[in-house]
Amino acid sequence: MAICIAVLFLGHQDGNSQGIQTSRRKIMQLARIRSIVTYHKCIRELTAFGYITYCPSYHPAKGSLIDLKIED
């Protein structure tokens, strides 16, 4: 849940309400997650349940793309 809120917060700052391109470090800091293993477990579960779409970026300067699946 904290990861979704962090994505919404960052999306609101960028003017995008559903998806963002950001680094793992920034999401972990906002969500107060300290373990990389916990972060990836949460991302994997959110993706499996269909709450987010996660496209990892392996480039150090580019962030991963996270889209929230918000249905009206």
Side-chain angles (χ1 to χ4, degrees), residues 17-70:
S17 63
Q18 289 189 351
I20 60 160
Q21 188 166 3
T22 188
S23 67
R24 172 188 49 83
R25 180 177 291 177
K26 192 178 287 189
I27 293 288
M28 286 178 64
Q29 184 179 20
L30 286 171
R32 307 272 189 208
I33 296 173
R34 294 185 182 200
S35 171
I36 295 173
V37 174
T38 302
Y39 170 81
H40 286 293
K41 178 184 173 193
C42 292
I43 290 290
R44 185 174 49 245
E45 288 177 354
L46 289 170
T47 303
F49 290 135
Y51 295 126
I52 65 170
T53 303
Y54 179 71
C55 297
S57 172
Y58 300 104
H59 192 276
K62 292 183 182 179
S64 298
L65 181 64
I66 302 174
D67 286 323
L68 291 174
K69 294 184 179 179
I70 301 173

